């Protein structure tokens, strides 16, 4: 019905779907996210975003499905960010394509607290370089000695994007910097890394 509904009918249908949302009806509701009509997909996403009577962590289970409108799932997840399991979010992020991965790591960054720092630091040594760069950006929220030490270690990483992200993150942190280590990157083989090393050295005088 959403496909041909006018504005007022759409509101009524969405309200009805939201009222019917539960863990039991979740599968039937999310089948609507496979609909070829974008108005149907948007309406179901709106209902899932509004409803409070189902476990929003179930949304993470369907995020990797190819037949689902991923952007609609992400919209619903953002609406329930405070109720999402952040450890589950972290694990699912690695399975996503770049755009969706970026969106999920943005949610993780918004939700992350100091309790998550040890896990984030441990993940900076992983194989997924894109994920490592996102994690580095999240770590800039926490000006702790262990975070700064982890970022300094990443200045020696073999991946240029990781080195560049670590330099940018260190530039956002207070406290004493390892001048010798940062200066060594003035000879880095990547021009972007060299440039960020220059910027950081200038910033810390």
């Amino acid at each position: 019905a959403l496909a041909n509904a006018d504005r007022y009918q759409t509101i009524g249908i969405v309200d009805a779907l939201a009222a019917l949302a539960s863990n039991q009806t979740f599968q039937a509701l999310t089948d609507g996210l496979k609909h070829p009509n974008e108005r149907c997909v948007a309406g179901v996403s709106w209902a899932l975003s509004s409803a409070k009577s189902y476990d929003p962590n179930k949304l993470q289970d369907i995020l990797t499905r190819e037949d689902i409108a991923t952007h609609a799932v992400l919209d619903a997840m953002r609406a329930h960010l405070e109720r999402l399991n952040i450890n589950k979010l972290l694990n699912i992020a690695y399975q996503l394509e770049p755009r969706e991965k970026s969106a999920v790591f943005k949610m993780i960054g918004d939700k992350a607290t100091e309790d998550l720092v040890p896990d984030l630091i441990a993940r900076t040594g992983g194989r997924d370089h894109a994920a490592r760069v996102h994690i580095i950006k999240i770590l800039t929220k926490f000006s702790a000695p262990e975070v700064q030490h982890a970022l300094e270690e990443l200045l020696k990483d073999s991946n240029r994007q990781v080195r560049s992200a670590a330099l940018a993150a260190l530039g956002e942190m207070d406290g004493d910097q390892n001048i010798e280590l940062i200066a060594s990157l003035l000879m880095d083989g990547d021009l972007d890394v060299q440039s960020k090393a220059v910027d950081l050295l200038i910033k810390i005088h």
Side-chain angles (χ1 to χ4, degrees):
L2 282 166
N4 300 308
D6 63 25
R7 178 183 175 188
Y8 298 104
Q9 291 169 335
T10 297
I11 293 172
I13 294 168
V14 168
D15 285 347
L17 288 172
L20 291 166
S22 68
N23 290 337
Q24 288 70 41
T25 61
F26 182 80
Q27 180 62 56
L29 265 174
T30 53
D31 280 346
L33 299 177
K34 299 185 290 185
H35 202 284
N37 186 289
E38 182 57 34
R39 288 170 60 86
C40 294
V41 171
V44 171
S45 178
W46 185 5
L48 288 168
S49 298
S50 305
K52 307 293 185 186
S53 50
Y54 72 100
D55 179 6
N57 289 293
K58 294 172 75 68
L59 292 165
Q60 300 188 55
D61 297 330
I62 65 171
L63 193 56
T64 55
R65 282 175 49 181
E66 293 183 1
D67 60 340
I68 289 286
T70 310
H71 68 279
V73 180
L74 289 169
D75 286 344
M77 287 172 60
R78 289 188 194 96
H80 297 289
L81 182 58
E82 291 306 312
R83 298 171 61 203
L84 294 180
N85 183 310
I86 195 164
N87 293 307
K88 189 171 184 177
L89 264 181
L90 263 174
N91 291 329
I92 202 76
Y94 288 86
Q95 304 172 40
L96 302 173
E97 295 300 317
R99 181 179 296 182
E100 290 78 19
K101 180 178 292 188
S102 179
V104 168
F105 271 111
K106 173 68 167 60
M107 283 189 260
I108 294 168
D110 291 341
K111 189 176 172 63
T113 62
E114 289 184 2
D115 293 342
L116 194 65
V117 167
D119 190 9
L120 291 174
I121 290 175
R123 290 172 183 267
T124 59
R127 296 182 179 180
D128 186 331
H129 298 314
R132 296 168 72 202
V133 169
H134 287 301
I135 288 168
I136 289 166
K137 291 177 182 177
I138 295 171
L139 284 171
T140 59
K141 290 176 58 176
F142 308 101
S143 292
E146 60 270 27
V147 172
Q148 183 162 339
H149 176 72
L151 293 174
E152 288 173 349
E153 287 299 308
L154 291 172
L155 296 181
K156 310 167 192 173
D157 197 85
S158 60
N159 184 272
R160 64 180 182 82
Q161 291 178 315
V162 170
R163 296 196 303 277
S164 179
L167 275 170
L170 285 168
E172 299 295 321
M173 303 190 74
D174 300 323
D176 295 332
Q177 302 275 12
N178 187 329
I179 305 297
E180 184 176 0
L181 182 56
I182 295 166
S184 70
L185 293 174
L186 296 173
M187 302 294 288
D188 194 273
D190 184 78
L191 289 175
D192 181 61
V193 174
Q194 288 183 26
S195 176
K196 281 194 169 62
V198 170
D199 292 342
L200 181 52
L201 288 168
I202 290 170
K203 182 175 181 178
I204 61 181
H205 306 294

